[in-house]
Amino acid sequence: MAILVFVESADGKIKKTSLEAVAYAHAMGDKVTAIALGTIDKAELTAVGKYGASKVLTVSDERLNQGVIRAYAAVLAQAIQAESADTLVLANSSLGTPVAASVAVKIGASLASNVVGLPDTSSGFVVKQSIYTGKAFAMVEMKNQKKVIGIKKNAVELKEVGGDATVSDFTANLTDADFGTKITATEKATGDILLPEAEIVVSGGRGMKGPEHWGILEDLAKTLGAATGCSKPVSDIGWRPHHEHVGQTGVKVAPQLYIAVGISGAIQHLAGVNSSKYIVVINKDPEAPFFKAADYGIVGDAFTVVPKLTDAIKASK
Amino acid sequence: MKILVCISHVPDTTSKINFVENNTKFDTAGVQFIIGPYDDYALARAIELKETLSATVTVLNVGLAETEPTIRKALAIGADDAIRVNAVPTDSFFVATQIAEHAKGYDLILMGRESIDYNSGVVHSMVGELLGLPSVSPVMKLDLEGTTVKMQREIEGGKESLEATLPLIAGCQEPIAEWKIPNMRGIMSARTKPLTVVDPKAVDAPVNFQKYELPPPKGAVKMISEDNVAELVTLLKNEAKVL
Ligand SMILES: Cc1cc2nc3c(=O)[nH]c(=O)nc-3n(C[C@H](O)[C@H](O)[C@H](O)COP(=O)(O)OP(=O)(O)OC[C@H]3O[C@@H](n4cnc5c(N)ncnc54)[C@H](O)[C@@H]3O)c2cc1C
Ligand SMILES: Nc1ncnc2c1ncn2[C@@H]1O[C@H](COP(=O)(O)O)[C@@H](O)[C@H]1O
């Protein structure tokens, strides 16, 4: 049976998390077809082949240049049928997650979200799903013949396994009802590294004392090619924009490296960072709870330690 | 104008997560249950809308009798009445099916962006598909102009403005409204507000949660002197291999 992978793009480029979804599908061992909606550069599409898709479907319909959830779901459900696929794989994201849910209902599929590993098919079809905001995992049996799998960032390693994919057009039948929501404006930080997808994150808490002190964190982030984040009180008082707030009620990050500066390490903050591979904590209080969740720690004043760290990284390059 | 708010009954955000019975059941010992924090935002926005429009607010929960204190809290915060679908919320599709059964006739159906136990963030979208209604999430701003709903949705690294017409489903998150704390009068009146208990609709479960596990314990933290920051860089390069 074939597997369909929905690939998302940002600024005309296929997202890394979507390539991970392609790699995941390839590792499942079946024939993989990717599908991209909206206008994307052809070279970007053929390159999806490197990660294991033999074919890429594109749907050029201007209305799909913006992510309208039910319209996307309608296209995917039709493509699943046209390709005789029984499984849809995609990356969990602000678009992927609701689209996956919609498709699952349309085609009567079992749905699993935030999946962190390949399925175990020794008895049934069982995936490991991250739950309780990264504090636990569940082994979920997907019982229906059709399946929709949303994967969490970093669930698979990206390896090049193939060459170019062939690109072909796919036509879907869409009605006005599929476009029940109208996107009237998009505000996006362009050029910057997006927090949910960053490999390195530099985050600041109330210990930074005020928005005027973020410069030293931005310098560190720039030196590392990192995104910046913050704790909830910091965005509540408006020192930083809301979309930078990390934690249980904010963005959940899963970078290779998370550097927390002047953040105490409240359990709600930790819930957003516990999928990070390595955690560095800089705090002037040796008793700060964050040290218990850290791999490396420095007890010291952020205002002296952070610039020193930036310099040391520059010196080591 | 009729507003439905779907609330989950979840462990408090500071709870220690543990499993019992050979890792097949969540350990509720010593755990305090609360209205899901995102659902609390949805409820707060519903109450604000009720104060400015002539609206009624119904809360709905899929859960066993143990969730009633949580439902009563939502009534104390200001909801007018409540529905409890008497069943264990086994999976998202089951919950969505129950909500869809009772959501007909409501103009606005508000939920949280995700429950904090299974964090799927999918129930609103499933209900939308089941009812053929648009569903938008995570919504950080929601205003009504007649039957037009103007919303702002958070996307990776930014936000999107959207418009749709009622009826509509929205998964909410801050800063859509400020969490509301019940006052004494609210708590008193909540005791007598109607809470209807209904039986669930049968559903063929598409998934089965077989077993749970906890992440491996974290190794001890390596402390580095603030006078030797270069050592941290060396460790990140050679030991962690992340630079
Ligand atoms: C339902 C609920 C949900 C929540 N969700 C979230 C969430 O998603 N994300 C989140 O972050 N929080 C969340 N919180 C809030 C959380 O409980 C904490 O209050 C918050 O994380 C604390 O932020 P902080 O560490 O920046 O501030 P503080 O707790 O005030 O800590 C500041 C730290 O900075 C250190 N410090 C001070 N000065 C310096 C200096 N010069 N150099 C170095 N260190 C210094 C201090 O030692 C201290 O450890 C939530 C709370 C609730 C109730
Ligand atoms: N058992 C439940 N009863 C009522 N509403 C629920 C229940 N579980 C989830 N919801 C609603 O669905 C939203 C999304 O949940 P989820 O898809 O599980 O992350 C929650 O924020 C709630 O508003």
Side-chain angles (χ1 to χ4, degrees):
Chain A
M1 272 303 221
I3 302 175
L4 188 74
V5 182
F6 166 48
V7 293
E8 272 186 70
S9 61
D11 303 323
K13 278 205 165 348
I14 304 285
K15 288 189 177 181
K16 176 162 177 267
T17 47
S18 290
L19 296 176
E20 288 174 355
V22 174
Y24 183 98
H26 175 74
M28 281 174 68
D30 291 313
K31 179 174 165 280
V32 178
T33 300
I35 180 164
L37 310 190
T39 317
I40 303 166
D41 197 44
K42 179 120 189 263
E44 272 292 307
L45 294 172
T46 51
V48 173
K50 283 193 208 143
Y51 302 98
S54 51
K55 182 163 83 176
V56 183
L57 304 176
T58 62
V59 189
S60 22
D61 180 330
E62 288 223 329
R63 296 175 297 176
L64 297 172
N65 282 348
Q66 285 174 318
V68 181
I69 291 156
R70 294 196 60 216
Y72 270 42
V75 176
L76 294 180
Q78 290 171 34
I80 287 166
Q81 196 176 21
E83 290 294 307
S84 314
D86 59 359
T87 302
L88 171 70
V89 177
L90 49 71
N92 281 119
S93 70
S94 66
L95 182 65
T97 304
V99 166
S102 249
V103 175
V105 171
K106 272 187 199 292
I107 65 170
S110 294
L111 169 70
S113 299
N114 301 316
V115 169
V116 294
L118 285 168
D120 174 355
T121 51
S122 56
S123 157
F125 187 104
V126 180
V127 291
K128 187 171 171 176
Q129 178 172 336
S130 164
I131 57 170
Y132 290 104
T133 329
K135 287 185 247 176
F137 299 101
M139 308 309 286
V140 187
E141 184 192 359
M142 304 180 76
K143 299 203 288 191
N144 294 4
Q145 207 233 326
K146 288 209 160 60
K147 296 168 182 71
V148 176
I149 304 175
I151 64 165
K152 196 172 155 140
K153 181 176 178 263
N154 289 340
V156 278
E157 216 176 308
L158 269 189
K159 279 195 299 259
E160 291 197 14
V161 292
D164 287 351
T166 57
V167 178
S168 52
D169 285 324
F170 181 75
T171 316
N173 291 314
L174 294 169
T175 64
D176 284 347
D178 296 320
F179 293 90
T181 49
K182 200 167 82 211
I183 296 164
T184 50
T186 312
E187 268 174 62
K188 222 168 171 180
T190 47
D192 288 329
I193 297 144
L194 297 181
L195 180 60
E197 287 151 23
E199 296 298 340
I200 304 179
V201 175
V202 174
S203 240
R206 209 146 49 179
M208 293 304 295
K209 306 283 191 293
E212 66 278 17
H213 297 131
W214 241 259
I216 55 171
L217 295 185
E218 278 164 353
D219 285 346
L220 176 59
K222 214 164 158 200
T223 309
L224 288 167
T228 54
C230 65
S231 67
K232 182 172 185 308
V234 163
S235 68
D236 283 349
I237 39 189
W239 291 357
R240 299 297 296 173
H242 180 264
H243 67 253
E244 286 196 3
H245 136 216
V246 171
Q248 178 120 35
T249 48
V251 180
K252 282 99 191 160
V253 296
Q256 296 290 317
L257 176 62
Y258 187 81
I259 303 180
V261 185
I263 303 178
S264 59
I267 193 157
Q268 294 97 349
H269 187 81
L270 297 183
V273 307
N274 52 19
S275 300
S276 308
K277 199 142 177 225
Y278 286 92
I279 295 177
V280 170
V281 168
I282 299 169
N283 196 302
K284 68 172 187 191
D285 174 9
E287 301 299 321
F290 218 145
F291 285 120
K292 290 203 180 68
D295 298 283
Y296 304 107
I298 295 182
V299 176
D301 188 328
F303 301 105
T304 55
V305 175
V306 172
K308 274 200 231 170
L309 180 57
T310 308
D311 289 343
I313 292 163
K314 280 185 184 150
S316 77
K317 278 189 175 169
Chain B
M1 167 102 186
K2 288 176 71 181
I3 306 175
L4 182 70
V5 181
C6 302
I7 58 167
S8 55
H9 160 91
V10 292
D12 170 46
T13 51
T14 58
S15 305
K16 198 155 166 40
I17 305 301
N18 240 323
F19 300 96
V20 288
E21 294 181 27
N22 201 15
N23 283 327
T24 57
K25 272 212 165 62
F26 179 71
D27 183 3
T28 55
V31 171
Q32 173 99 26
F33 281 83
I34 56 166
I35 302 174
Y38 295 111
D39 315 350
D40 228 352
Y41 286 118
L43 179 62
R45 185 66 190 130
I47 303 301
E48 283 178 3
L49 290 171
K50 176 183 152 170
E51 281 159 7
T52 52
L53 307 158
S54 63
T56 59
V57 176
T58 302
V59 288
L60 184 153
N61 168 259
V62 182
L64 297 180
E66 71 215 15
T67 71
E68 288 198 3
T70 303
I71 299 174
R72 289 281 173 209
K73 188 175 172 213
L75 292 171
I77 287 171
D80 300 290
D81 57 0
I83 302 168
R84 179 170 68 81
V85 180
N86 189 26
V88 179
T90 43
D91 65 81
S92 318
F93 184 67
F94 178 82
V95 171
T97 306
Q98 308 312 325
I99 294 174
E101 277 292 293
H102 297 280
K104 290 171 197 124
Y106 287 91
D107 303 288
L108 186 61
I109 301 156
L110 298 182
M111 306 192 194
R113 71 174 281 177
E114 66 185 33
S115 58
I116 61 161
D117 45 6
Y118 287 4
N119 311 107
S120 314
V122 297
V123 167
H124 23 75
S125 193
M126 286 182 161
V127 174
E129 201 54 53
L130 288 169
L131 294 177
L133 296 178
S135 154
V136 182
S137 177
V139 175
M140 45 202 300
K141 200 163 178 271
L142 182 148
D143 292 298
L144 289 172
E145 284 173 20
T147 57
T148 303
V149 194
K150 295 200 165 167
M151 289 165 284
Q152 218 168 54
R153 181 174 97 91
E154 180 153 338
I155 54 175
E156 280 77 16
K159 50 196 173 198
E160 198 172 76
S161 304
L162 303 100
E163 267 181 37
T165 40
L166 295 175
L168 171 99
I169 301 159
C172 306
Q173 72 165 37
E174 63 177 9
I176 193 162
E178 297 251 352
W179 283 328
K180 292 198 177 349
I181 299 159
N183 58 26
M184 209 51 215
R185 221 185 66 208
I187 294 167
M188 297 302 288
S189 69
R191 292 187 189 155
T192 53
K193 285 181 179 170
L195 192 170
T196 315
V197 180
V198 295
D199 284 328
K201 185 182 170 184
V203 174
D204 280 332
V207 294
N208 172 30
F209 286 77
Q210 294 181 325
K211 231 176 163 31
Y212 301 93
E213 63 183 60
L214 295 173
K218 195 103 194 161
V221 53
K222 259 191 201 166
M223 297 305 290
I224 294 131
S225 156
E226 65 167 314
D227 301 318
N228 196 5
V229 173
E231 189 193 332
L232 174 62
V233 179
T234 309
L235 286 167
L236 291 174
K237 274 201 156 149
N238 302 335
E239 190 178 76
K241 301 191 168 54
V242 289
L243 292 189

